[in-house]
Each structure stands twice: as C-alpha cells, then as structure tokens.
Amino acid sequence: MSSPHRIYVGSFTDAIYTLEFHPSPPDSDSPTLKFLGKTHVGPNPSWIARHPSDISLVFTGLEQENGEIAVIKYGQEAEGVVIARAKSGGSGPCSLLATEDELLIGNYSSGTIATLPISTEPPFVLSPKPWTLSMPFERPGPNKARQACSHPHQVIFSNIDTTSPERELLVPDLGADKVWRLKKGGDGRWTICGYLQCESGGGPRHVVTCGKTLYTLLELTSKVSVHSFPPTDTSPPLKWLSTLQAPPPAPHSMTTAEILLPAPNATFSVPYIYVSNRDDPNPEGDTIGIFSLANGETEPELVTEVRTGLKHLRGMSFGGEDNKWLIAGGVEGGGVKIFERVRGGKDLRAVANLGRDVVPRPTSFLWV
C-alpha cells in the first residue's frame, strides 16, 4: 500500500496551503486529496522552493512591488512557522532556487536576479541585503505590453553534461527573448557568459533539458523552442513547435506557463514533455500538451492534449513513486487536480481534486 504524500501549494493569496494526497487509502477505492491547513506568509507567495538537505525549510517569494523572501519551518503539523524574512533584491520575485548555502532569486518586474546567503541554522538568512545583478536589455520587444523591459522568469541550473566542472545557471528572460547563461566568477558572484536567442516576441518563460538539448517554453506565442546545448554561438533554435494541436489564428489571448520533463524510469521509459496551456476559451478548460521524444531528443512531437477543467492553468508538478502523479492548478477556476500518468506517460487521467473554495488561486506546488 502506498503512503500518503504531503504537498505544499503556493498561491496568489496570502498563504501557502498544505494538502495530503493518498494514492491508495485504506478506506477508499480511489485516490484522495485532502486539505490539511495553511500558513499565512504575506501577499502572493507564488513560488516555493525547498532546501536541498533540510527538507523542513521552505522558501517563498512574495510577488509584490517591494519584493520579499520568507523562510518557513515545517514540522509534523500542517501549518509552518515563518522564521526569517529578507528583501528579494527587486520587485515581483517569481522564481527561487535554493542550494546548500545560497538562495537564487528571479525578480520578474525589476529585471534583476539576486542571491542571499542562507543556512540551516539561525538566523537562516545570513545577510539582510541581497547581491543583485540587473539583466541586460537592448530594446522593447514586439509585445509592447509584456516586453518593455527585462523580465527574468526562472532561475534554474543546467543539468546538461558539459566539459566544464562549473555549474551553469539558466535564466529565461521573457522581456529580452533570450535565455541567459551565467557562471560564477572568481569573486563568487554570478556573471553572464552568453545567451540563447529565442523567437522575437516569443517571451521565454521556463526551460527543461534532455541529453544535450534545451527546450524553452515561449509564453507569449504558445510554442516550445528546441536548442542544441551548449551552443557554439547565439544562433537561433533548431525549430519551434506549437503547444496546441489546433492553434487559433493570431492574435489570440492564450499563453503558456509551465514545462516539465520528468526523467525516464522503470515505469515510464519513454521521455515526455508536459506543457500547461492557459486561457483557452473552451468551456472544458485549459489543456496540458504532451510531447513525445520517442523519435529523438531533437524531434519532439505533440501527441496528446488533455482537457483539465482548470482555468488559467499556471503551475504543475510531478511527484510520488516514479513520478506517476501530476498535480496542477487553475488560478482563475477549477481548484487543484491530481492526474495519473497512463499509456506509458502519453496521456493523463484525473483521479482527485479540491475546489477553488478550498485552495483558491494556486500557482505552484512542492511535493514533500
């Protein structure tokens, strides 16, 4: 019998919600999803990240003009305790990445990335003032409303095997239509060492990798771009693919939000890319597009679109044994749902849900 899983949920409210998902509860024939409690932290804790070695420590960014970071300590109880706060080094912190001794922050609205020294012991945040780096910006992009300045939307380490022993940081910049590449200099500070050019007006939001290939989700044009990595220059990607099987004629209001590529395992041997599409006018809600890599890592193929019943599908995350389960949420409706991967990962089946009255405006998820 499978054990229950605890899941934390970031949101566009003032709280992080704690849920429990049980794949095979003893008193039910179907999986169950329950609300356990919530932790009030401040406005819009939209992104949550866990410390790599102390899983009781969770970091969140309060996505507001005067950006703030909160550190939450969780125990056996469903509610956590805020144990530290710090400035985010900008406005609109929308992405966090925690290492053993450093918290990396992407500040969307101010066009900056920042770092804070952290510890698993008090005071947890070792400096009240973050180090910041303003991202380069040449000119406004084609989408005047969304590309008037730099908008770093994610901070994530590249896991592509290169010849360099140094870790490389990737920062998709929605405003600049670039994915910035950064490495640490001799002074221990992150510095830009290159970039990948994306489609003009595409608005890169998030990235994933497989083998020696980088996939970038273009929020503003609902596409996935494919780059060989590491690139030898700033040449354009190998190809762009729509995240929709029947894309509406441009211009349209649909966008994308999340891209995931769980590593193959014994249960799911073929890699698939999962993309959340947002603001579909269909009354059955937004879709999750599924790309197969069966033809090779540079040849993704959109094979399935799954209707979710969710509105403005922003965040989703895999968890459980062999990443069998996917949790997703609708900011504007539908609450949160758990999907089971079926047909070897080629499709999804909804198995449990909670309404928006229980978990309002969900934005991100963290499996414990």
Side-chain angles (χ1 to χ4, degrees), residues 94 107-109 111 135-137 139-154 171-180 197-206 216-221 255-257 278 314:
C94 68
N107 291 293
Y108 175 86
S109 299
M135 308 309 291
F137 189 75
R139 65 184 67 87
N143 190 319
K144 304 303 182 185
R146 299 290 307 279
Q147 296 186 302
C149 64
S150 169
H151 289 307
H153 218 308
Q154 186 184 34
V171 181
D173 189 331
L174 184 144
D177 283 327
K178 292 177 172 62
V179 177
W180 299 105
Q197 185 65 51
C198 295
E199 174 189 35
S200 179
R205 180 183 175 96
H206 286 179
T216 304
L217 186 64
L218 304 180
E219 176 182 338
L220 303 181
T221 54
T255 60
T256 57
R278 292 190 291 182
R314 179 183 172 101

Side-chain angles (χ1 to χ4, degrees), residues 115-151:
T115 63
L116 281 167
I118 58 174
S119 171
T120 56
E121 302 293 335
F124 302 104
V125 178
L126 304 182
S127 172
K129 185 176 181 180
W131 172 84
T132 61
L133 174 66
S134 295
M135 308 309 291
F137 189 75
E138 296 175 353
R139 65 184 67 87
N143 190 319
K144 304 303 182 185
R146 299 290 307 279
Q147 296 186 302
C149 64
S150 169
H151 289 307

Side-chain angles (χ1 to χ4, degrees), residues 171-191:
V171 181
D173 189 331
L174 184 144
D177 283 327
K178 292 177 172 62
V179 177
W180 299 105
R181 304 173 62 193
L182 292 87
K183 290 186 177 181
K184 274 194 172 181
D187 59 357
R189 303 300 191 188
W190 292 97
T191 183

Side-chain angles (χ1 to χ4, degrees), residues 237-255:
L238 301 174
K239 61 183 65 177
W240 297 288
L241 301 166
S242 176
T243 63
L244 302 162
Q245 290 181 324
H252 58 80
S253 61
M254 292 182 64
T255 60

Side-chain angles (χ1 to χ4, degrees), residues 12 16 75 106 119 130 150 154 164 195 222 244 263 269 274 279 281 323 329 338 359:
F12 278 146
I16 295 173
S119 171
S150 169
Q154 186 184 34
S164 172
Y195 65 86
S222 299
L244 302 162
S269 58
Y274 301 79
D279 301 326
N323 282 320
I338 299 280
V359 187

Side-chain angles (χ1 to χ4, degrees), residues 324-336:
K324 183 179 181 180
W325 312 102
L326 175 71
I327 187 168
V331 175
E332 302 299 337
V336 298

